[in-house]
Amino acid sequence: MAAETKIAWAKSTFNPWIGCTKVSPDCDACYAEAHDRRWHGGIHWGQGAGRHHTSLKYWNEPIKWNTQATMTREFWPVFGGSMCDVFDNEVPGSWRDDYWKLIEQTPALTWLLVTKRVGNVLKMVPQYWRRSAFPQNVWILMSAGAQDLFDRDWQRLAEIPARVRGVSIEPMRGPVIMPPQAYQQIHWAIYGGESRQPDRYPRECKVEWIEAGIANCRELGVAPFVKQMGHYTSHNGKRVIFGDKGDDIRDFPASVRVQEWPHNRRPGNV
């Protein structure tokens, strides 16, 4: 939770609160839950567990980033919820209302909201966002690590009037191919293998799955972004290791050394 993050597709991370509940197989080795277990005994995770609202001092940080981004005209993507899902049903609505106000107060930042609950998005954002279009600085990404989850949710994503709609295919648990109907409905696709957690062995991610995903993106005009190989990667049927954490693009196979942004990533661009 800092002004500078090692996550390749964000400059900063911000968490309005901490805590969540697992809702899909993608959550099995959740890094955020592992972090909460290590530092808080896991008390903020699971159905009925109280979420932890972060401090007022911490909430002032995005205001500072916004001032800096305004001065430098820097593209400043913020991962808005690395330790939570902002569309979590178990969070008080007033917390979310305050979060929407913060986003509106920081137009120089680009807020990347990633959710496993994409069906909640239109129910939980302000009504005036739904009536016309989301603020220019809000991108919505749904999480889908396998084909069944993508097929279930992508049309819900397509209904959201956000400037950028994307899919986070991480942890990638199998090949995910977007249909022709997704043309111009999905703008961005992030790919990544699973990271190792203290009590979980990472699931396999095949380089061939990512290669097929990139080819699929090229067909549909979607920008592909390969975030990491993860800790259990295979290629041509053999286990391969790409650097220490598998997250340095210089270590990726040339065929998947791709980190592109949607062409309309900056407000005002056509």
Side-chain angles (χ1 to χ4, degrees):
M1 300 191 295
E4 297 289 340
T5 178
K6 294 181 180 179
I7 297 171
W9 46 263
K11 178 176 174 63
S12 305
T13 57
F14 176 80
N15 288 281
W17 52 83
I18 297 171
C20 199
T21 297
K22 292 182 176 183
V23 293
S24 83
D26 289 357
C27 305
D28 286 356
C30 178
Y31 69 88
E33 182 194 27
H35 183 276
D36 192 63
R37 282 201 307 271
R38 179 180 180 186
W39 297 106
H40 305 287
I43 61 173
H44 306 118
W45 240 261
Q47 190 170 2
R51 310 319 190 210
H52 169 67
H53 193 288
T54 47
S55 70
L56 177 60
K57 180 180 179 181
Y58 175 69
W59 274 60
N60 284 330
E61 289 302 301
I63 303 294
K64 298 176 184 177
W65 305 340
N66 186 73
T67 299
Q68 183 177 339
T70 301
M71 293 175 60
T72 62
R73 300 181 64 83
E74 179 182 359
F75 175 54
W76 197 307
V78 180
F79 182 3
S82 62
M83 296 289 170
C84 66
D85 187 327
V86 299
F87 299 102
D88 181 357
N89 301 71
E90 298 188 58
V91 171
S94 60
W95 291 12
R96 223 176 334 260
D97 291 342
D98 290 339
Y99 188 35
W100 306 145
K101 292 174 185 176
L102 176 65
I103 288 174
E104 291 176 341
Q105 290 168 2
T106 52
L109 306 180
T110 298
W111 290 88
L112 313 182
L113 308 184
V114 185
T115 182
K116 290 181 172 66
R117 299 165 173 82
V118 71
N120 284 349
V121 174
L122 292 178
K123 302 173 187 175
M124 293 181 173
V125 297
Q127 187 177 22
Y128 56 91
W129 288 19
R130 300 194 297 268
R131 281 200 304 264
S132 51
F134 279 37
Q136 296 277 297
N137 64 331
V138 175
W139 298 8
I140 299 293
L141 291 86
M142 73 173 199
S143 180
Q147 190 72 51
D148 59 336
L149 294 181
F150 177 86
D151 291 343
R152 183 192 71 185
D153 287 339
W154 81 267
Q155 289 175 311
R156 295 176 181 173
L157 175 69
E159 295 172 355
I160 299 170
R163 183 174 186 84
V164 170
R165 295 182 293 271
V167 55
S168 174
I169 306 172
E170 184 186 10
M172 195 173 196
R173 300 182 289 109
V176 175
I177 300 299
M178 296 176 280
Q181 296 93 315
Y183 174 69
Q184 294 188 335
Q185 302 302 315
I186 295 177
H187 311 110
W188 200 26
I190 298 172
Y191 299 89
E194 190 161 60
S195 299
R196 181 173 52 246
Q197 301 303 327
D199 60 346
R200 293 278 184 175
Y201 193 73
R203 289 166 286 189
E204 180 181 18
C205 177
K206 297 182 179 182
V207 173
E208 291 84 352
W209 297 343
I210 301 176
E211 291 172 336
I214 293 171
N216 182 221
C217 285
R218 299 298 184 217
E219 293 171 354
L220 299 180
V222 176
F225 193 108
V226 182
K227 177 196 169 193
Q228 65 181 44
M229 294 291 102
H231 283 119
Y232 182 4
T233 314
S234 69
H235 195 197
N236 297 324
K238 296 180 180 179
R239 175 79 180 271
V240 286
I241 297 175
F242 300 106
D244 234 9
K245 299 181 180 179
D247 60 356
D248 189 332
I249 190 172
R250 294 171 296 183
D251 297 325
F252 296 0
S255 60
V256 297
R257 203 175 295 153
V258 178
Q259 291 186 337
E260 297 179 8
W261 296 83
H263 74 279
N264 56 349
R265 68 182 188 272
R266 295 176 185 271
N269 282 9
V270 177

